[in-house]
Amino acid sequence: MHAILHTLRRIFGIRRIKGLVLAGCMMGVTASCAPIETELLIPARTTLSASPLYKAQQPWSGPLLGDGTARALPQVIGAVELTSTDPRVGGLSGLTIAPDGTATFISDRGYWLRLPLPGQQDRFPSTIPDWSIDFLHQEQGLPLSGSKELDAEEVTSTPNGGQIVSFERHHRLAYYPPLENGSPPLAGNAHLLPPPPGLQEAPYNGGIESLTVLPDGRLIALLEGDQGEDHTTGWLATPQGPWSDSVPPLVWSSFSLALDHDFVPTSLAVLGDAPETMTAIILERSFHLTSGFAARLTRVPLRDLLDATPKTPPIRREVIAWLTQDPVQDNWEGLTRDPRNPRTLWMVTDNNYLSLQRTMILTVDCSLCLIVSP
């Protein structure tokens, strides 16, 4: 076997790294994954490509399924499938977008991927230029290793240009401050946040999947929890100082989020700038062995999350769109707002590194999604 690998490297310029294969994994939504060490063969020249989503041999451009009215239905702007010759590309669980349109994705095998996003009136090129992928690092500067440490689920940006990543299995939040040399924050070392109370009691594969930082620096986190439960936990962290080269002291408060029909939160974004219109959009997912994945978008006034206390009844939301139809029925996990177009949302699927699933990116105009609070 080693002789075969050596020959492949000589002929095709392939190099070797260590990776993980998740054997017997129930589509990424249960804890029954048995990680085994393997070698990934990475071609010296790799590509990242985007192609339109098709339905009945025609490019698909929507619409999403709603409740029978257009009251708050997001309008599809674009939808593509990403493919790559690099085996590290996949398992994308969260994303955040910089003001210049550069997107940062994180994967549940401990990688981060950066690529430029097109403008609202533009399309993805078939071959994406200027993309990069690398390992996330721990506090000491070494790449993450071990199946319990790799499972990054969400990424969000802080007002100073840093980024925060949430992890499952070994539940934690890690802050990556901006780097003076201009490199991406995730190229640096992790700084662990003090965990919210109760995080370590979260289900092994049901940690924080929804995470967003507000313009004033406050952090909202939602626990995925267990499918089938009637509620899950959310937290609000109020920093006692600015985000800088280190994590400011945080004051955590908790609240409860209602769950129904086996849907659990997988990502969170906030729309609107004025207090009376600021709206939380929550991406939710369910999975059943017979019907597969289903996803939906819900909304709730941001004020409901910010004002909630542990004694507040579980917060309910309004469903505004369903992702349950061909060709977009899949494992939608990531959601974020585009700072270039504040009412535009970008979404991504986690293909769990499985050939039966796809890595899709969906862009929607959510101008009708805002809730005007009295």
Side-chain angles (χ1 to χ4, degrees):
M1 183 64 180
H2 289 288
I4 295 174
L5 294 178
H6 180 69
T7 302
L8 287 173
R9 291 185 200 109
R10 289 182 58 192
I11 296 174
F12 298 107
I14 292 174
R15 60 189 178 90
R16 178 179 64 182
I17 68 168
K18 288 289 186 180
L20 285 175
V21 170
L22 300 183
C25 182
M26 295 297 291
M27 307 298 281
V29 294
T30 75
S32 59
C33 298
I36 58 174
E37 291 290 336
T38 187
E39 290 180 337
L40 291 180
L41 297 179
I42 301 178
R45 294 183 179 86
T46 58
T47 60
L48 182 66
S49 303
S51 58
L53 291 186
Y54 281 87
K55 181 179 181 180
Q57 299 182 337
Q58 297 294 324
W60 181 85
S61 59
L64 298 179
L65 299 179
D67 60 358
T69 73
R71 180 179 56 190
L73 186 65
Q75 305 299 305
V76 174
I77 297 173
V80 299
E81 178 181 357
L82 290 186
T83 56
S84 179
T85 57
D86 191 321
R88 295 171 296 177
V89 176
L92 303 181
S93 301
L95 74 159
T96 188
I97 302 173
D100 67 356
T102 300
T104 299
F105 300 80
I106 47 88
S107 89
D108 48 24
R109 290 191 189 172
Y111 300 113
W112 55 271
L113 168 72
R114 275 170 53 96
L115 59 92
L117 296 179
Q120 189 162 340
Q121 304 302 320
D122 302 321
R123 297 181 179 180
F124 268 104
S126 57
T127 300
I128 297 174
D130 304 324
W131 64 280
S132 58
I133 187 169
D134 206 345
F135 264 117
L136 290 165
H137 292 79
Q138 52 188 299
E139 304 95 293
Q140 297 81 11
L142 297 174
L144 296 178
S145 62
S147 59
K148 289 181 63 176
E149 305 298 315
L150 295 173
D151 195 2
E153 290 293 339
E154 181 67 292
V155 60
T156 187
S157 298
T158 54
N160 66 327
Q163 293 175 339
I164 301 173
V165 177
S166 66
F167 294 86
E168 279 186 339
R169 304 178 194 274
H170 174 198
H171 299 304
R172 65 198 189 279
L173 296 168
Y175 171 57
Y176 295 83
L179 298 177
E180 293 183 358
N181 62 7
S183 296
L186 297 187
N189 298 346
H191 299 244
L192 294 184
L193 276 66
L199 176 60
Q200 299 312 317
E201 285 72 53
Y204 181 70
N205 200 35
I208 293 175
E209 289 215 10
S210 305
L211 195 67
T212 194
V213 175
L214 303 177
D216 62 8
R218 287 182 291 178
L219 174 68
I220 298 175
L222 302 178
L223 200 67
E224 178 188 8
D226 274 329
Q227 184 171 301
E229 297 293 326
D230 60 5
H231 71 278
T232 190
T233 302
W235 293 278
L236 174 68
T238 302
Q240 306 301 291
W243 295 94
S244 60
D245 292 338
S246 59
V247 179
L250 300 174
V251 176
W252 290 98
S253 59
S254 66
F255 56 88
S256 182
L257 194 75
L259 301 178
D260 62 73
H261 297 94
D262 291 336
F263 282 90
V264 295
T266 62
S267 199
L268 167 73
V270 173
L271 299 178
D273 298 313
E276 65 273 11
T277 62
M278 294 185 78
T279 302
I281 307 296
I282 301 176
L283 175 62
E284 305 179 14
R285 176 201 61 203
S286 70
F287 174 77
H288 293 278
L289 288 174
T290 54
S291 57
F293 289 104
R296 68 186 188 183
L297 291 171
T298 65
R299 67 176 183 174
V300 64
L302 178 64
R303 184 181 302 172
D304 288 7
L305 304 183
L306 300 182
D307 294 344
T309 71
K311 296 183 178 181
T312 302
I315 298 168
R316 298 193 175 277
R317 300 156 310 288
E318 175 190 3
V319 179
I320 58 174
W322 298 88
L323 293 95
T324 53
Q325 77 276 35
D326 182 52
V328 293
Q329 182 180 6
D330 213 308
N331 184 26
W332 292 97
E333 285 212 10
L335 171 74
T336 195
R337 184 176 83 158
D338 190 334
R340 303 168 299 172
N341 303 285
R343 295 187 181 180
T344 297
L345 296 176
W346 291 76
M347 303 165 58
V348 67
T349 59
D350 175 358
N351 72 348
N352 293 303
Y353 291 94
L354 296 174
S355 60
L356 295 177
Q357 293 178 251
R358 295 169 294 169
T359 298
M360 295 185 287
I361 294 179
L362 179 65
T363 318
V364 298
D365 180 348
C366 222
S367 298
L368 300 176
C369 303
L370 295 181
I371 300 174
V372 180
S373 302

